[in-house]
Amino acid sequence: MVEIRTDDCFRDGQFAELAFVHAPIGLVVTENRVIRECNIAFAQMFGYERAALRDQWFSVLYPSDEEFVNIRDRGVVQLRETNTYWDERIMARRDGSLFWCRVRGHSFTPESPLDRAVWSFADLSGERPYLPLTRREREILSHLAEGLTSKEIAINLDISHRTVEVYRAKLLKKFGVNNTSGLFHSLGGIDSEHVVSNSQK
């Protein structure tokens, strides 16, 4: 890739590419969930060189392929209606370590939002250290974020109501809180509808 000459950009008043590449937040352009281009901050956040991420499925940045598939339709309705979307989710670095990200999206094809879109990613590690969660704990947390009851979660996951309650209790203990509201407060105080643990179906 041709190096961007900062002096030339300022001389010619051509700042778009310069701003994209050097923005202090992760930016990525996708086509059908394939990374077409990303900036330096995005690649460094995940531990890659930019060239290594181009034309890769976004699945390489998720804790598992299953979670990549399950989160697919998250935000599609909102993007169609308002073309704005944000959530906070768990992602995976190249070395396998997991961390919380704030994700915002804008689609160039709102009638089919995932066809072509641009996303920003902010690393929340400084304010929300990742606590290790099992896949099932992430699923339970995700459904709690949707406002589902233990019985509804049990039906969705095809497990017993009692099992859901056990996992819920484990989550409360892990985060050192007494109730679900405290659980989401410990995740930064954001509305539960914006918390995604990569397991939406």
Side-chain angles (χ1 to χ4, degrees):
M1 181 176 180
V2 177
E3 180 182 354
I4 299 174
R5 296 176 60 86
T6 304
D7 289 344
D8 292 346
C9 292
F10 276 84
R11 183 195 65 222
D12 300 333
Q14 302 294 322
F15 302 115
E17 186 176 6
L18 182 69
F20 175 83
V21 172
H22 294 283
I25 192 169
L27 298 174
V28 57
V29 177
T30 60
E31 184 175 17
N32 295 315
R33 305 188 83 194
V34 172
I35 298 168
R36 290 306 186 198
E37 184 59 279
C38 66
N39 69 353
I40 294 171
F42 181 86
Q44 290 179 342
M45 184 186 310
F46 288 94
Y48 291 88
E49 296 293 330
R50 292 174 65 202
L53 288 175
R54 290 191 192 101
D55 298 324
Q56 294 291 322
W57 281 99
F58 229 97
S59 57
V60 300
L61 306 179
Y62 279 82
S64 69
D65 288 340
E66 180 183 20
E67 290 169 312
F68 169 70
V69 171
N70 289 343
I71 202 173
R72 178 186 57 212
D73 296 326
R74 178 77 179 188
V76 166
V77 172
Q78 189 174 344
L79 282 168
R80 282 183 184 142
E81 293 176 351
T82 67
N83 208 3
T84 59
Y85 175 75
W86 75 275
D87 67 42
E88 297 187 356
R89 64 181 69 170
I90 296 167
M91 302 295 289
R93 303 188 200 277
R94 186 177 187 178
D95 64 7
S97 61
L98 304 183
F99 67 109
W100 281 96
C101 272
R102 180 176 294 120
V103 181
R104 299 181 186 274
H106 171 85
S107 178
F108 301 110
T109 54
E111 68 284 353
S112 184
L114 299 183
D115 285 1
R116 292 180 176 176
V118 60
W119 306 87
S120 70
F121 280 72
D123 186 347
L124 300 179
S125 299
E127 59 194 83
R128 186 185 306 158
Y130 172 74
L131 292 177
L133 299 173
T134 66
R135 181 180 62 83
R136 184 64 85 190
E137 286 173 335
R138 291 198 294 269
E139 289 176 338
I140 299 295
L141 178 60
S142 174
H143 286 302
L144 287 171
E146 291 182 310
L148 300 186
T149 66
S150 294
K151 289 183 178 179
E152 290 170 330
I153 294 172
I155 292 171
N156 283 349
L157 298 180
D158 196 24
I159 57 179
S160 72
H161 169 265
R162 174 61 182 159
T163 298
V164 174
E165 287 296 310
V166 168
Y167 274 103
R168 180 179 175 276
K170 286 181 179 179
L171 285 167
L172 296 180
K173 182 177 180 180
K174 184 170 287 190
F175 284 87
V177 295
N178 297 319
N179 52 46
T180 303
S181 294
L183 180 61
F184 292 119
H185 181 74
S186 72
L187 293 174
I190 64 172
D191 295 336
S192 61
E193 67 184 74
H194 292 294
V195 178
V196 183
S197 294
N198 302 340
S199 56
Q200 270 76 6
K201 297 235 185 322

